[in-house]
Amino acid sequence: MHPTSARSGRAAHDREIESLAEFDEVVAEHGTLARFRVQAVDLTGRTAQLLGLDATEAVFLGCPMEPEAAAHVGSAGALVFPPVPGLPFDPYRGFVYTPAELFASLDEGYEATPDARSYAWFQRTRSDGDVLASTLRAIHDDAVSDALDELLAGARVVGVMGGHAMERGTPAYAGAARLGRELTRAGLTVATGGGPGAMEAANLGAYAAPFADSMLEEALHILAKTPSFRPSVADWARAAFEVRERWPDGGASVGIPTWFYGHEPPNAFAAHIAKYFANATREDGLLARSTAGVVFLPGAAGTVQEIFDNATPNYYESRGEPAPMVLVDEAHWTGELPAWPLLRALARGRSMESRIALVDAIEDAAGAIKRLAR
């Protein structure tokens, strides 16, 4: 995965500038900004350069700059979309989020964090019919998708889907964490829905991958003291940051949550968080990017929806060769919520038939993904 910093070896077709370091690199290498797209970069300290560069057909998306510089690039033929004041998020952002960014100000309570404030803004504006608010949400989500595509370029991504209700301290949570660890150690990039429960467990396992096995057992013990994000998101998140501080620089994984379900906070173990306002965009994007397969842990309506959202393009091969699908817990998926018989019936006689599996134990899921991916 690409780091969230200046990218080296810029491809000829890549005309996006997403950091001040990239801006300086482009200026030094090309001596022009013509037809470049500058995205959410603070250019208030680059007035002299802006006044001396060709900006023909350039686009500046949410870039703070001095009035003199803004007037100059505008008169030179650039499109300038100024920053939008008063928002708890940047609609033009160039990178996905980090846990530290979304949970900034956690010491003042979860309500003070950018994550909570963005959800509050969404709640205020989602049904008021304001075209500006809906436009800002759409721009933000498109920017996040662009950043996620750049982050995951070339990665072998395995999605791990499961419900938010799975509590820390349970055998199921520990099993999901060990699954995330095994997949990461196999060279795969774990991607989850980015929330609590099974999603957090898989991201935790990915975080634990570089450490000795005993680290995960100790981390599980620490987290078990705060089993759920209810009643206190702040206490739940602080326990995760305690683990991160004790064992810094863990393995990288991706969380893809949504403010549509804003009552479910993002977890702090995903190194990269692509958070969306539109849940449909988030759901489709998560599954579409899980090119190395998807593991479905026991869940409820949301997980059932994800199974068949993933099965449809596999059935029609609209994304190319079907990706592996592994359902975990035979009793759950054949009895409680019998998604497996329907999935098997759909797959019969099609290419996807050899790419689906039902395993009873979570310990068998990683092996099944590897086997089906061959």
Side-chain angles (χ1 to χ4, degrees):
M1 292 186 289
H2 292 299
T4 52
S5 59
R7 288 163 293 175
S8 59
R10 297 175 62 88
H13 66 275
D14 184 1
R15 305 193 69 81
E16 295 179 4
I17 299 173
E18 297 161 337
S19 70
L20 201 56
E22 284 187 313
F23 178 87
D24 292 338
E25 179 186 331
V26 167
V27 169
E29 182 177 346
H30 298 282
T32 180
L33 292 175
R35 291 175 291 283
F36 277 90
R37 280 77 176 102
V38 191
Q39 188 175 348
V41 180
D42 188 344
L43 298 175
T44 52
R46 295 294 187 273
T47 300
Q49 291 91 329
L50 290 169
L51 294 176
L53 291 170
D54 179 12
T56 304
E57 297 182 24
V59 179
F60 295 85
L61 299 168
C63 299
M65 61 181 85
E66 298 294 343
E68 181 185 9
H72 172 77
V73 297
S75 65
L79 285 175
V80 180
F81 295 82
V84 182
L87 291 177
F89 63 93
D90 183 354
Y92 299 113
R93 61 180 302 111
F95 303 110
V96 297
Y97 294 94
T98 65
E101 184 179 2
L102 286 175
F103 283 105
S105 304
L106 183 63
D107 289 344
E108 301 170 29
Y110 174 64
E111 295 74 16
T113 65
D115 185 65
R117 291 190 293 112
S118 296
Y119 177 52
W121 177 89
F122 180 44
Q123 289 291 88
R124 289 195 306 272
T125 63
R126 64 189 298 182
S127 58
D128 63 8
D130 184 352
V131 67
L132 176 60
S134 61
T135 298
L136 292 172
R137 292 195 296 268
I139 291 171
H140 169 275
D141 286 2
D142 188 69
V144 167
S145 288
D146 180 67
L148 187 59
D149 285 338
E150 292 177 0
L151 176 74
L152 294 178
R156 297 172 61 221
V157 180
V158 171
V160 179
M161 311 298 164
H164 69 271
M166 184 186 289
E167 290 194 345
R168 297 166 172 175
T170 62
Y173 184 96
R178 295 186 187 106
L179 170 64
R181 183 176 65 184
E182 184 174 353
L183 291 170
T184 302
R185 286 177 173 175
L188 300 166
T189 297
V190 169
T192 78
M199 297 171 279
E200 181 189 53
N203 288 130
L204 166 63
Y207 189 87
F211 302 102
D213 288 357
S214 58
M215 173 270 175
L216 180 56
E217 303 311 311
E218 292 182 59
L220 290 169
H221 179 73
I222 293 170
L223 295 171
K225 298 173 185 176
T226 314
S228 173
F229 63 96
R230 296 187 177 100
S232 172
V233 173
D235 289 347
W236 174 83
R238 289 187 188 109
F241 281 106
E242 179 185 344
V243 170
R244 290 179 59 100
E245 288 164 11
R246 184 167 174 181
W247 293 280
D249 304 320
S253 65
V254 176
I256 307 181
T258 173
W259 280 296
F260 184 81
Y261 297 130
H263 59 286
E264 297 177 13
N267 77 73
F269 292 112
H272 311 286
I273 303 176
K275 191 153 191 178
Y276 290 89
F277 287 106
N279 186 51
T281 304
R282 168 252 194 169
E283 289 277 8
D284 184 68
L286 172 54
L287 294 168
R289 291 175 175 87
S290 297
T291 53
V294 184
V295 177
F296 297 93
L297 302 176
T303 310
V304 172
Q305 176 183 337
E306 288 163 346
I307 289 173
F308 292 103
D309 280 349
N310 197 49
T312 300
N314 281 346
Y315 180 91
Y316 290 111
E317 299 187 40
S318 56
R319 293 177 185 149
E321 188 176 344
M325 298 177 66
V326 176
L327 278 60
V328 178
D329 192 331
E330 184 173 350
H332 185 82
W333 293 122
T334 62
E336 276 188 66
L337 296 173
W340 172 251
L342 178 53
L343 179 63
R344 188 172 56 179
L346 276 173
R348 190 172 297 123
R350 306 187 74 87
S351 298
M352 67 180 287
E353 186 173 18
S354 63
R355 295 298 184 92
I356 64 171
L358 174 66
V359 298
D360 199 37
I362 197 168
E363 292 77 14
D364 297 328
I369 279 285
K370 296 173 193 175
R371 182 180 72 253
L372 296 178
R374 292 174 184 169

